[in-house]
Amino acid sequence: LKPFDAGLLAAQRRAGKLIVSLENSALAGGFGEAIGADVKFGWPDEFIPHGPVGELEKRYRLDVESIVEVLNG
């Protein structure tokens, strides 16, 4: 997603918008980190065990319910 409009993101943040990234990759070095997202969802920078995707998403709080919970505070 490069290049991205850093000026637009800054303007959105000044206007009180929350910048959120949700990515199916590691957080470290990811898009959310690159844009300075206020809230970042992604996989931790560690070994992720094998297993059913739904179970892993729930375990690492990447399922819909966990994401909604975090965003709603």
Side-chain angles (χ1 to χ4, degrees), residues 35-62:
I35 65 170
D38 301 307
V39 181
K40 298 179 269 304
F41 294 98
W43 299 98
D45 191 22
E46 61 187 54
F47 175 77
I48 305 297
H50 291 270
V53 173
E55 289 180 21
L56 293 171
E57 287 173 342
K58 188 167 190 70
R59 177 177 177 178
Y60 290 95
R61 302 193 45 83
L62 296 172

mmCIF file with all atom_site columns, all heavy atoms in Angstrom, residues 35-62:
data_model
loop_
_atom_site.group_PDB
_atom_site.id
_atom_site.type_symbol
_atom_site.label_atom_id
_atom_site.label_alt_id
_atom_site.label_comp_id
_atom_site.label_asym_id
_atom_site.label_entity_id
_atom_site.label_seq_id
_atom_site.pdbx_PDB_ins_code
_atom_site.Cartn_x
_atom_site.Cartn_y
_atom_site.Cartn_z
_atom_site.occupancy
_atom_site.B_iso_or_equiv
_atom_site.pdbx_formal_charge
_atom_site.auth_seq_id
_atom_site.auth_comp_id
_atom_site.auth_asym_id
_atom_site.auth_atom_id
_atom_site.pdbx_PDB_model_num
ATOM 1   N N   . ILE A 1 35 ? 2.358   3.107   9.389  1.00 0.00 ? 35 ILE A N   1
ATOM 2   C CA  . ILE A 1 35 ? 1.509   4.297   9.357  1.00 0.00 ? 35 ILE A CA  1
ATOM 3   C C   . ILE A 1 35 ? 1.299   4.897   10.742 1.00 0.00 ? 35 ILE A C   1
ATOM 4   O O   . ILE A 1 35 ? 0.644   5.924   10.881 1.00 0.00 ? 35 ILE A O   1
ATOM 5   C CB  . ILE A 1 35 ? 0.132   4.008   8.711  1.00 0.00 ? 35 ILE A CB  1
ATOM 6   C CG1 . ILE A 1 35 ? -0.674  3.019   9.549  1.00 0.00 ? 35 ILE A CG1 1
ATOM 7   C CG2 . ILE A 1 35 ? 0.302   3.552   7.267  1.00 0.00 ? 35 ILE A CG2 1
ATOM 8   C CD1 . ILE A 1 35 ? -2.120  2.869   9.110  1.00 0.00 ? 35 ILE A CD1 1
ATOM 9   N N   . GLY A 1 36 ? 1.849   4.257   11.769 1.00 0.00 ? 36 GLY A N   1
ATOM 10  C CA  . GLY A 1 36 ? 1.684   4.764   13.127 1.00 0.00 ? 36 GLY A CA  1
ATOM 11  C C   . GLY A 1 36 ? 0.258   4.630   13.621 1.00 0.00 ? 36 GLY A C   1
ATOM 12  O O   . GLY A 1 36 ? -0.272  5.532   14.267 1.00 0.00 ? 36 GLY A O   1
ATOM 13  N N   . ALA A 1 37 ? -0.378  3.503   13.308 1.00 0.00 ? 37 ALA A N   1
ATOM 14  C CA  . ALA A 1 37 ? -1.764  3.281   13.718 1.00 0.00 ? 37 ALA A CA  1
ATOM 15  C C   . ALA A 1 37 ? -1.904  3.377   15.232 1.00 0.00 ? 37 ALA A C   1
ATOM 16  O O   . ALA A 1 37 ? -1.004  2.997   15.986 1.00 0.00 ? 37 ALA A O   1
ATOM 17  C CB  . ALA A 1 37 ? -2.245  1.916   13.230 1.00 0.00 ? 37 ALA A CB  1
ATOM 18  N N   . ASP A 1 38 ? -3.033  3.919   15.658 1.00 0.00 ? 38 ASP A N   1
ATOM 19  C CA  . ASP A 1 38 ? -3.316  4.038   17.091 1.00 0.00 ? 38 ASP A CA  1
ATOM 20  C C   . ASP A 1 38 ? -3.618  2.673   17.700 1.00 0.00 ? 38 ASP A C   1
ATOM 21  O O   . ASP A 1 38 ? -3.275  2.403   18.845 1.00 0.00 ? 38 ASP A O   1
ATOM 22  C CB  . ASP A 1 38 ? -4.514  4.969   17.307 1.00 0.00 ? 38 ASP A CB  1
ATOM 23  C CG  . ASP A 1 38 ? -4.252  6.357   16.745 1.00 0.00 ? 38 ASP A CG  1
ATOM 24  O OD1 . ASP A 1 38 ? -3.225  6.958   17.097 1.00 0.00 ? 38 ASP A OD1 1
ATOM 25  O OD2 . ASP A 1 38 ? -5.072  6.836   15.941 1.00 0.00 ? 38 ASP A OD2 1
ATOM 26  N N   . VAL A 1 39 ? -4.290  1.821   16.940 1.00 0.00 ? 39 VAL A N   1
ATOM 27  C CA  . VAL A 1 39 ? -4.617  0.469   17.367 1.00 0.00 ? 39 VAL A CA  1
ATOM 28  C C   . VAL A 1 39 ? -4.210  -0.466  16.239 1.00 0.00 ? 39 VAL A C   1
ATOM 29  O O   . VAL A 1 39 ? -4.575  -0.256  15.084 1.00 0.00 ? 39 VAL A O   1
ATOM 30  C CB  . VAL A 1 39 ? -6.133  0.312   17.650 1.00 0.00 ? 39 VAL A CB  1
ATOM 31  C CG1 . VAL A 1 39 ? -6.438  -1.102  18.122 1.00 0.00 ? 39 VAL A CG1 1
ATOM 32  C CG2 . VAL A 1 39 ? -6.620  1.340   18.660 1.00 0.00 ? 39 VAL A CG2 1
ATOM 33  N N   . LYS A 1 40 ? -3.423  -1.478  16.592 1.00 0.00 ? 40 LYS A N   1
ATOM 34  C CA  . LYS A 1 40 ? -2.923  -2.413  15.580 1.00 0.00 ? 40 LYS A CA  1
ATOM 35  C C   . LYS A 1 40 ? -3.349  -3.831  15.944 1.00 0.00 ? 40 LYS A C   1
ATOM 36  O O   . LYS A 1 40 ? -3.168  -4.250  17.082 1.00 0.00 ? 40 LYS A O   1
ATOM 37  C CB  . LYS A 1 40 ? -1.400  -2.344  15.508 1.00 0.00 ? 40 LYS A CB  1
ATOM 38  C CG  . LYS A 1 40 ? -0.856  -0.992  15.103 1.00 0.00 ? 40 LYS A CG  1
ATOM 39  C CD  . LYS A 1 40 ? 0.641   -0.971  15.062 1.00 0.00 ? 40 LYS A CD  1
ATOM 40  C CE  . LYS A 1 40 ? 1.336   -0.559  16.311 1.00 0.00 ? 40 LYS A CE  1
ATOM 41  N NZ  . LYS A 1 40 ? 1.039   0.701   16.900 1.00 0.00 ? 40 LYS A NZ  1
ATOM 42  N N   . PHE A 1 41 ? -3.902  -4.520  14.968 1.00 0.00 ? 41 PHE A N   1
ATOM 43  C CA  . PHE A 1 41 ? -4.256  -5.920  15.134 1.00 0.00 ? 41 PHE A CA  1
ATOM 44  C C   . PHE A 1 41 ? -3.411  -6.724  14.160 1.00 0.00 ? 41 PHE A C   1
ATOM 45  O O   . PHE A 1 41 ? -3.327  -6.389  12.978 1.00 0.00 ? 41 PHE A O   1
ATOM 46  C CB  . PHE A 1 41 ? -5.742  -6.158  14.814 1.00 0.00 ? 41 PHE A CB  1
ATOM 47  C CG  . PHE A 1 41 ? -6.679  -5.485  15.773 1.00 0.00 ? 41 PHE A CG  1
ATOM 48  C CD1 . PHE A 1 41 ? -7.250  -4.271  15.452 1.00 0.00 ? 41 PHE A CD1 1
ATOM 49  C CD2 . PHE A 1 41 ? -7.003  -6.074  16.987 1.00 0.00 ? 41 PHE A CD2 1
ATOM 50  C CE1 . PHE A 1 41 ? -8.121  -3.642  16.314 1.00 0.00 ? 41 PHE A CE1 1
ATOM 51  C CE2 . PHE A 1 41 ? -7.879  -5.449  17.857 1.00 0.00 ? 41 PHE A CE2 1
ATOM 52  C CZ  . PHE A 1 41 ? -8.444  -4.232  17.518 1.00 0.00 ? 41 PHE A CZ  1
ATOM 53  N N   . GLY A 1 42 ? -2.801  -7.775  14.646 1.00 0.00 ? 42 GLY A N   1
ATOM 54  C CA  . GLY A 1 42 ? -1.981  -8.647  13.814 1.00 0.00 ? 42 GLY A CA  1
ATOM 55  C C   . GLY A 1 42 ? -1.342  -9.710  14.687 1.00 0.00 ? 42 GLY A C   1
ATOM 56  O O   . GLY A 1 42 ? -1.532  -9.743  15.903 1.00 0.00 ? 42 GLY A O   1
ATOM 57  N N   . TRP A 1 43 ? -0.587  -10.552 14.058 1.00 0.00 ? 43 TRP A N   1
ATOM 58  C CA  . TRP A 1 43 ? 0.047   -11.654 14.776 1.00 0.00 ? 43 TRP A CA  1
ATOM 59  C C   . TRP A 1 43 ? 1.286   -11.176 15.522 1.00 0.00 ? 43 TRP A C   1
ATOM 60  O O   . TRP A 1 43 ? 2.027   -10.334 15.016 1.00 0.00 ? 43 TRP A O   1
ATOM 61  C CB  . TRP A 1 43 ? 0.428   -12.764 13.797 1.00 0.00 ? 43 TRP A CB  1
ATOM 62  C CG  . TRP A 1 43 ? -0.772  -13.320 13.109 1.00 0.00 ? 43 TRP A CG  1
ATOM 63  C CD1 . TRP A 1 43 ? -1.227  -12.986 11.872 1.00 0.00 ? 43 TRP A CD1 1
ATOM 64  C CD2 . TRP A 1 43 ? -1.691  -14.265 13.627 1.00 0.00 ? 43 TRP A CD2 1
ATOM 65  N NE1 . TRP A 1 43 ? -2.377  -13.675 11.584 1.00 0.00 ? 43 TRP A NE1 1
ATOM 66  C CE2 . TRP A 1 43 ? -2.684  -14.475 12.656 1.00 0.00 ? 43 TRP A CE2 1
ATOM 67  C CE3 . TRP A 1 43 ? -1.784  -14.965 14.826 1.00 0.00 ? 43 TRP A CE3 1
ATOM 68  C CZ2 . TRP A 1 43 ? -3.740  -15.351 12.841 1.00 0.00 ? 43 TRP A CZ2 1
ATOM 69  C CZ3 . TRP A 1 43 ? -2.837  -15.852 15.009 1.00 0.00 ? 43 TRP A CZ3 1
ATOM 70  C CH2 . TRP A 1 43 ? -3.801  -16.032 14.030 1.00 0.00 ? 43 TRP A CH2 1
ATOM 71  N N   . PRO A 1 44 ? 1.527   -11.695 16.730 1.00 0.00 ? 44 PRO A N   1
ATOM 72  C CA  . PRO A 1 44 ? 2.737   -11.310 17.465 1.00 0.00 ? 44 PRO A CA  1
ATOM 73  C C   . PRO A 1 44 ? 3.987   -11.836 16.758 1.00 0.00 ? 44 PRO A C   1
ATOM 74  O O   . PRO A 1 44 ? 3.921   -12.764 15.958 1.00 0.00 ? 44 PRO A O   1
ATOM 75  C CB  . PRO A 1 44 ? 2.546   -11.973 18.829 1.00 0.00 ? 44 PRO A CB  1
ATOM 76  C CG  . PRO A 1 44 ? 1.622   -13.115 18.586 1.00 0.00 ? 44 PRO A CG  1
ATOM 77  C CD  . PRO A 1 44 ? 0.740   -12.699 17.438 1.00 0.00 ? 44 PRO A CD  1
ATOM 78  N N   . ASP A 1 45 ? 5.104   -11.243 17.077 1.00 0.00 ? 45 ASP A N   1
ATOM 79  C CA  . ASP A 1 45 ? 6.382   -11.629 16.485 1.00 0.00 ? 45 ASP A CA  1
ATOM 80  C C   . ASP A 1 45 ? 6.963   -12.804 17.282 1.00 0.00 ? 45 ASP A C   1
ATOM 81  O O   . ASP A 1 45 ? 7.914   -12.661 18.044 1.00 0.00 ? 45 ASP A O   1
ATOM 82  C CB  . ASP A 1 45 ? 7.335   -10.433 16.489 1.00 0.00 ? 45 ASP A CB  1
ATOM 83  C CG  . ASP A 1 45 ? 8.574   -10.683 15.659 1.00 0.00 ? 45 ASP A CG  1
ATOM 84  O OD1 . ASP A 1 45 ? 8.531   -11.555 14.778 1.00 0.00 ? 45 ASP A OD1 1
ATOM 85  O OD2 . ASP A 1 45 ? 9.590   -9.997  15.897 1.00 0.00 ? 45 ASP A OD2 1
ATOM 86  N N   . GLU A 1 46 ? 6.309   -13.944 17.126 1.00 0.00 ? 46 GLU A N   1
ATOM 87  C CA  . GLU A 1 46 ? 6.728   -15.157 17.830 1.00 0.00 ? 46 GLU A CA  1
ATOM 88  C C   . GLU A 1 46 ? 6.239   -16.359 17.031 1.00 0.00 ? 46 GLU A C   1
ATOM 89  O O   . GLU A 1 46 ? 5.450   -16.218 16.094 1.00 0.00 ? 46 GLU A O   1
ATOM 90  C CB  . GLU A 1 46 ? 6.133   -15.201 19.238 1.00 0.00 ? 46 GLU A CB  1
ATOM 91  C CG  . GLU A 1 46 ? 4.625   -15.215 19.260 1.00 0.00 ? 46 GLU A CG  1
ATOM 92  C CD  . GLU A 1 46 ? 4.041   -15.092 20.657 1.00 0.00 ? 46 GLU A CD  1
ATOM 93  O OE1 . GLU A 1 46 ? 4.388   -14.150 21.371 1.00 0.00 ? 46 GLU A OE1 1
ATOM 94  O OE2 . GLU A 1 46 ? 3.213   -15.954 21.015 1.00 0.00 ? 46 GLU A OE2 1
ATOM 95  N N   . PHE A 1 47 ? 6.675   -17.529 17.411 1.00 0.00 ? 47 PHE A N   1
ATOM 96  C CA  . PHE A 1 47 ? 6.219   -18.741 16.752 1.00 0.00 ? 47 PHE A CA  1
ATOM 97  C C   . PHE A 1 47 ? 4.732   -18.917 17.024 1.00 0.00 ? 47 PHE A C   1
ATOM 98  O O   . PHE A 1 47 ? 4.305   -18.909 18.178 1.00 0.00 ? 47 PHE A O   1
ATOM 99  C CB  . PHE A 1 47 ? 6.999   -19.959 17.251 1.00 0.00 ? 47 PHE A CB  1
ATOM 100 C CG  . PHE A 1 47 ? 6.484   -21.248 16.685 1.00 0.00 ? 47 PHE A CG  1
ATOM 101 C CD1 . PHE A 1 47 ? 6.781   -21.612 15.376 1.00 0.00 ? 47 PHE A CD1 1
ATOM 102 C CD2 . PHE A 1 47 ? 5.682   -22.078 17.440 1.00 0.00 ? 47 PHE A CD2 1
ATOM 103 C CE1 . PHE A 1 47 ? 6.296   -22.797 14.836 1.00 0.00 ? 47 PHE A CE1 1
ATOM 104 C CE2 . PHE A 1 47 ? 5.187   -23.270 16.909 1.00 0.00 ? 47 PHE A CE2 1
ATOM 105 C CZ  . PHE A 1 47 ? 5.494   -23.627 15.605 1.00 0.00 ? 47 PHE A CZ  1
ATOM 106 N N   . ILE A 1 48 ? 3.949   -19.073 15.971 1.00 0.00 ? 48 ILE A N   1
ATOM 107 C CA  . ILE A 1 48 ? 2.519   -19.325 16.097 1.00 0.00 ? 48 ILE A CA  1
ATOM 108 C C   . ILE A 1 48 ? 2.318   -20.823 15.852 1.00 0.00 ? 48 ILE A C   1
ATOM 109 O O   . ILE A 1 48 ? 2.699   -21.335 14.796 1.00 0.00 ? 48 ILE A O   1
ATOM 110 C CB  . ILE A 1 48 ? 1.701   -18.512 15.071 1.00 0.00 ? 48 ILE A CB  1
ATOM 111 C CG1 . ILE A 1 48 ? 2.013   -17.016 15.168 1.00 0.00 ? 48 ILE A CG1 1
ATOM 112 C CG2 . ILE A 1 48 ? 0.206   -18.787 15.240 1.00 0.00 ? 48 ILE A CG2 1
ATOM 113 C CD1 . ILE A 1 48 ? 1.668   -16.370 16.473 1.00 0.00 ? 48 ILE A CD1 1
ATOM 114 N N   . PRO A 1 49 ? 1.737   -21.535 16.823 1.00 0.00 ? 49 PRO A N   1
ATOM 115 C CA  . PRO A 1 49 ? 1.564   -22.972 16.637 1.00 0.00 ? 49 PRO A CA  1
ATOM 116 C C   . PRO A 1 49 ? 0.564   -23.276 15.529 1.00 0.00 ? 49 PRO A C   1
ATOM 117 O O   . PRO A 1 49 ? -0.224  -22.419 15.136 1.00 0.00 ? 49 PRO A O   1
ATOM 118 C CB  . PRO A 1 49 ? 1.039   -23.437 17.991 1.00 0.00 ? 49 PRO A CB  1
ATOM 119 C CG  . PRO A 1 49 ? 0.392   -22.245 18.591 1.00 0.00 ? 49 PRO A CG  1
ATOM 120 C CD  . PRO A 1 49 ? 1.171   -21.068 18.082 1.00 0.00 ? 49 PRO A CD  1
ATOM 121 N N   . HIS A 1 50 ? 0.618   -24.484 15.047 1.00 0.00 ? 50 HIS A N   1
ATOM 122 C CA  . HIS A 1 50 ? -0.352  -24.941 14.058 1.00 0.00 ? 50 HIS A CA  1
ATOM 123 C C   . HIS A 1 50 ? -1.678  -25.194 14.761 1.00 0.00 ? 50 HIS A C   1
ATOM 124 O O   . HIS A 1 50 ? -1.716  -25.537 15.934 1.00 0.00 ? 50 HIS A O   1
ATOM 125 C CB  . HIS A 1 50 ? 0.123   -26.233 13.384 1.00 0.00 ? 50 HIS A CB  1
ATOM 126 C CG  . HIS A 1 50 ? 1.294   -26.028 12.499 1.00 0.00 ? 50 HIS A CG  1
ATOM 127 N ND1 . HIS A 1 50 ? 1.154   -25.721 11.173 1.00 0.00 ? 50 HIS A ND1 1
ATOM 128 C CD2 . HIS A 1 50 ? 2.622   -26.050 12.745 1.00 0.00 ? 50 HIS A CD2 1
ATOM 129 C CE1 . HIS A 1 50 ? 2.364   -25.575 10.633 1.00 0.00 ? 50 HIS A CE1 1
ATOM 130 N NE2 . HIS A 1 50 ? 3.269   -25.776 11.581 1.00 0.00 ? 50 HIS A NE2 1
ATOM 131 N N   . GLY A 1 51 ? -2.750  -24.998 14.032 1.00 0.00 ? 51 GLY A N   1
ATOM 132 C CA  . GLY A 1 51 ? -4.064  -25.284 14.582 1.00 0.00 ? 51 GLY A CA  1
ATOM 133 C C   . GLY A 1 51 ? -5.137  -24.674 13.721 1.00 0.00 ? 51 GLY A C   1
ATOM 134 O O   . GLY A 1 51 ? -4.845  -23.951 12.754 1.00 0.00 ? 51 GLY A O   1
ATOM 135 N N   . PRO A 1 52 ? -6.380  -24.910 14.067 1.00 0.00 ? 52 PRO A N   1
ATOM 136 C CA  . PRO A 1 52 ? -7.480  -24.324 13.315 1.00 0.00 ? 52 PRO A CA  1
ATOM 137 C C   . PRO A 1 52 ? -7.422  -22.793 13.375 1.00 0.00 ? 52 PRO A C   1
ATOM 138 O O   . PRO A 1 52 ? -7.212  -22.213 14.450 1.00 0.00 ? 52 PRO A O   1
ATOM 139 C CB  . PRO A 1 52 ? -8.729  -24.856 14.028 1.00 0.00 ? 52 PRO A CB  1
ATOM 140 C CG  . PRO A 1 52 ? -8.265  -26.094 14.733 1.00 0.00 ? 52 PRO A CG  1
ATOM 141 C CD  . PRO A 1 52 ? -6.845  -25.817 15.111 1.00 0.00 ? 52 PRO A CD  1
ATOM 142 N N   . VAL A 1 53 ? -7.585  -22.164 12.243 1.00 0.00 ? 53 VAL A N   1
ATOM 143 C CA  . VAL A 1 53 ? -7.439  -20.706 12.159 1.00 0.00 ? 53 VAL A CA  1
ATOM 144 C C   . VAL A 1 53 ? -8.358  -19.997 13.153 1.00 0.00 ? 53 VAL A C   1
ATOM 145 O O   . VAL A 1 53 ? -7.939  -19.069 13.842 1.00 0.00 ? 53 VAL A O   1
ATOM 146 C CB  . VAL A 1 53 ? -7.695  -20.213 10.720 1.00 0.00 ? 53 VAL A CB  1
ATOM 147 C CG1 . VAL A 1 53 ? -7.708  -18.698 10.654 1.00 0.00 ? 53 VAL A CG1 1
ATOM 148 C CG2 . VAL A 1 53 ? -6.647  -20.774 9.777  1.00 0.00 ? 53 VAL A CG2 1
ATOM 149 N N   . GLY A 1 54 ? -9.602  -20.428 13.237 1.00 0.00 ? 54 GLY A N   1
ATOM 150 C CA  . GLY A 1 54 ? -10.546 -19.786 14.156 1.00 0.00 ? 54 GLY A CA  1
ATOM 151 C C   . GLY A 1 54 ? -10.072 -19.826 15.601 1.00 0.00 ? 54 GLY A C   1
ATOM 152 O O   . GLY A 1 54 ? -10.207 -18.844 16.335 1.00 0.00 ? 54 GLY A O   1
ATOM 153 N N   . GLU A 1 55 ? -9.512  -20.956 16.009 1.00 0.00 ? 55 GLU A N   1
ATOM 154 C CA  . GLU A 1 55 ? -8.996  -21.085 17.379 1.00 0.00 ? 55 GLU A CA  1
ATOM 155 C C   . GLU A 1 55 ? -7.787  -20.183 17.599 1.00 0.00 ? 55 GLU A C   1
ATOM 156 O O   . GLU A 1 55 ? -7.650  -19.567 18.655 1.00 0.00 ? 55 GLU A O   1
ATOM 157 C CB  . GLU A 1 55 ? -8.634  -22.534 17.673 1.00 0.00 ? 55 GLU A CB  1
ATOM 158 C CG  . GLU A 1 55 ? -9.834  -23.436 17.817 1.00 0.00 ? 55 GLU A CG  1
ATOM 159 C CD  . GLU A 1 55 ? -9.455  -24.882 18.106 1.00 0.00 ? 55 GLU A CD  1
ATOM 160 O OE1 . GLU A 1 55 ? -8.329  -25.140 18.587 1.00 0.00 ? 55 GLU A OE1 1
ATOM 161 O OE2 . GLU A 1 55 ? -10.293 -25.767 17.840 1.00 0.00 ? 55 GLU A OE2 1
ATOM 162 N N   . LEU A 1 56 ? -6.910  -20.133 16.614 1.00 0.00 ? 56 LEU A N   1
ATOM 163 C CA  . LEU A 1 56 ? -5.727  -19.273 16.742 1.00 0.00 ? 56 LEU A CA  1
ATOM 164 C C   . LEU A 1 56 ? -6.121  -17.797 16.777 1.00 0.00 ? 56 LEU A C   1
ATOM 165 O O   . LEU A 1 56 ? -5.570  -17.018 17.553 1.00 0.00 ? 56 LEU A O   1
ATOM 166 C CB  . LEU A 1 56 ? -4.750  -19.544 15.600 1.00 0.00 ? 56 LEU A CB  1
ATOM 167 C CG  . LEU A 1 56 ? -4.101  -20.920 15.617 1.00 0.00 ? 56 LEU A CG  1
ATOM 168 C CD1 . LEU A 1 56 ? -3.323  -21.166 14.325 1.00 0.00 ? 56 LEU A CD1 1
ATOM 169 C CD2 . LEU A 1 56 ? -3.203  -21.077 16.829 1.00 0.00 ? 56 LEU A CD2 1
ATOM 170 N N   . GLU A 1 57 ? -7.069  -17.412 15.927 1.00 0.00 ? 57 GLU A N   1
ATOM 171 C CA  . GLU A 1 57 ? -7.527  -16.017 15.935 1.00 0.00 ? 57 GLU A CA  1
ATOM 172 C C   . GLU A 1 57 ? -8.114  -15.657 17.297 1.00 0.00 ? 57 GLU A C   1
ATOM 173 O O   . GLU A 1 57 ? -7.856  -14.569 17.816 1.00 0.00 ? 57 GLU A O   1
ATOM 174 C CB  . GLU A 1 57 ? -8.556  -15.784 14.834 1.00 0.00 ? 57 GLU A CB  1
ATOM 175 C CG  . GLU A 1 57 ? -7.933  -15.763 13.454 1.00 0.00 ? 57 GLU A CG  1
ATOM 176 C CD  . GLU A 1 57 ? -8.944  -15.707 12.334 1.00 0.00 ? 57 GLU A CD  1
ATOM 177 O OE1 . GLU A 1 57 ? -10.145 -16.029 12.558 1.00 0.00 ? 57 GLU A OE1 1
ATOM 178 O OE2 . GLU A 1 57 ? -8.546  -15.349 11.206 1.00 0.00 ? 57 GLU A OE2 1
ATOM 179 N N   . LYS A 1 58 ? -8.882  -16.539 17.874 1.00 0.00 ? 58 LYS A N   1
ATOM 180 C CA  . LYS A 1 58 ? -9.460  -16.271 19.198 1.00 0.00 ? 58 LYS A CA  1
ATOM 181 C C   . LYS A 1 58 ? -8.352  -16.187 20.252 1.00 0.00 ? 58 LYS A C   1
ATOM 182 O O   . LYS A 1 58 ? -8.350  -15.272 21.074 1.00 0.00 ? 58 LYS A O   1
ATOM 183 C CB  . LYS A 1 58 ? -10.473 -17.354 19.560 1.00 0.00 ? 58 LYS A CB  1
ATOM 184 C CG  . LYS A 1 58 ? -11.253 -17.057 20.811 1.00 0.00 ? 58 LYS A CG  1
ATOM 185 C CD  . LYS A 1 58 ? -12.442 -18.000 20.913 1.00 0.00 ? 58 LYS A CD  1
ATOM 186 C CE  . LYS A 1 58 ? -13.386 -17.585 22.001 1.00 0.00 ? 58 LYS A CE  1
ATOM 187 N NZ  . LYS A 1 58 ? -14.129 -16.361 21.705 1.00 0.00 ? 58 LYS A NZ  1
ATOM 188 N N   . ARG A 1 59 ? -7.418  -17.100 20.201 1.00 0.00 ? 59 ARG A N   1
ATOM 189 C CA  . ARG A 1 59 ? -6.312  -17.125 21.172 1.00 0.00 ? 59 ARG A CA  1
ATOM 190 C C   . ARG A 1 59 ? -5.490  -15.834 21.131 1.00 0.00 ? 59 ARG A C   1
ATOM 191 O O   . ARG A 1 59 ? -5.073  -15.315 22.165 1.00 0.00 ? 59 ARG A O   1
ATOM 192 C CB  . ARG A 1 59 ? -5.412  -18.322 20.878 1.00 0.00 ? 59 ARG A CB  1
ATOM 193 C CG  . ARG A 1 59 ? -4.211  -18.432 21.751 1.00 0.00 ? 59 ARG A CG  1
ATOM 194 C CD  . ARG A 1 59 ? -3.439  -19.676 21.420 1.00 0.00 ? 59 ARG A CD  1
ATOM 195 N NE  . ARG A 1 59 ? -2.227  -19.789 22.185 1.00 0.00 ? 59 ARG A NE  1
ATOM 196 C CZ  . ARG A 1 59 ? -1.399  -20.803 22.116 1.00 0.00 ? 59 ARG A CZ  1
ATOM 197 N NH1 . ARG A 1 59 ? -1.667  -21.825 21.327 1.00 0.00 ? 59 ARG A NH1 1
ATOM 198 N NH2 . ARG A 1 59 ? -0.303  -20.829 22.835 1.00 0.00 ? 59 ARG A NH2 1
ATOM 199 N N   . TYR A 1 60 ? -5.272  -15.318 19.932 1.00 0.00 ? 60 TYR A N   1
ATOM 200 C CA  . TYR A 1 60 ? -4.456  -14.112 19.768 1.00 0.00 ? 60 TYR A CA  1
ATOM 201 C C   . TYR A 1 60 ? -5.300  -12.847 19.603 1.00 0.00 ? 60 TYR A C   1
ATOM 202 O O   . TYR A 1 60 ? -4.801  -11.807 19.203 1.00 0.00 ? 60 TYR A O   1
ATOM 203 C CB  . TYR A 1 60 ? -3.497  -14.292 18.584 1.00 0.00 ? 60 TYR A CB  1
ATOM 204 C CG  . TYR A 1 60 ? -2.418  -15.290 18.897 1.00 0.00 ? 60 TYR A CG  1
ATOM 205 C CD1 . TYR A 1 60 ? -2.548  -16.621 18.521 1.00 0.00 ? 60 TYR A CD1 1
ATOM 206 C CD2 . TYR A 1 60 ? -1.283  -14.919 19.610 1.00 0.00 ? 60 TYR A CD2 1
ATOM 207 C CE1 . TYR A 1 60 ? -1.570  -17.560 18.831 1.00 0.00 ? 60 TYR A CE1 1
ATOM 208 C CE2 . TYR A 1 60 ? -0.306  -15.845 19.928 1.00 0.00 ? 60 TYR A CE2 1
ATOM 209 C CZ  . TYR A 1 60 ? -0.452  -17.164 19.540 1.00 0.00 ? 60 TYR A CZ  1
ATOM 210 O OH  . TYR A 1 60 ? 0.515   -18.079 19.857 1.00 0.00 ? 60 TYR A OH  1
ATOM 211 N N   . ARG A 1 61 ? -6.601  -12.968 19.930 1.00 0.00 ? 61 ARG A N   1
ATOM 212 C CA  . ARG A 1 61 ? -7.533  -11.840 19.926 1.00 0.00 ? 61 ARG A CA  1
ATOM 213 C C   . ARG A 1 61 ? -7.650  -11.171 18.555 1.00 0.00 ? 61 ARG A C   1
ATOM 214 O O   . ARG A 1 61 ? -7.704  -9.955  18.441 1.00 0.00 ? 61 ARG A O   1
ATOM 215 C CB  . ARG A 1 61 ? -7.193  -10.845 21.028 1.00 0.00 ? 61 ARG A CB  1
ATOM 216 C CG  . ARG A 1 61 ? -7.213  -11.518 22.412 1.00 0.00 ? 61 ARG A CG  1
ATOM 217 C CD  . ARG A 1 61 ? -7.201  -10.615 23.602 1.00 0.00 ? 61 ARG A CD  1
ATOM 218 N NE  . ARG A 1 61 ? -8.086  -9.479  23.558 1.00 0.00 ? 61 ARG A NE  1
ATOM 219 C CZ  . ARG A 1 61 ? -9.392  -9.500  23.872 1.00 0.00 ? 61 ARG A CZ  1
ATOM 220 N NH1 . ARG A 1 61 ? -9.966  -10.615 24.222 1.00 0.00 ? 61 ARG A NH1 1
ATOM 221 N NH2 . ARG A 1 61 ? -10.112 -8.394  23.833 1.00 0.00 ? 61 ARG A NH2 1
ATOM 222 N N   . LEU A 1 62 ? -7.695  -11.999 17.517 1.00 0.00 ? 62 LEU A N   1
ATOM 223 C CA  . LEU A 1 62 ? -7.863  -11.511 16.153 1.00 0.00 ? 62 LEU A CA  1
ATOM 224 C C   . LEU A 1 62 ? -9.225  -11.919 15.584 1.00 0.00 ? 62 LEU A C   1
ATOM 225 O O   . LEU A 1 62 ? -9.478  -11.738 14.398 1.00 0.00 ? 62 LEU A O   1
ATOM 226 C CB  . LEU A 1 62 ? -6.733  -12.033 15.255 1.00 0.00 ? 62 LEU A CB  1
ATOM 227 C CG  . LEU A 1 62 ? -5.344  -11.540 15.635 1.00 0.00 ? 62 LEU A CG  1
ATOM 228 C CD1 . LEU A 1 62 ? -4.280  -12.256 14.823 1.00 0.00 ? 62 LEU A CD1 1
ATOM 229 C CD2 . LEU A 1 62 ? -5.253  -10.039 15.444 1.00 0.00 ? 62 LEU A CD2 1
#
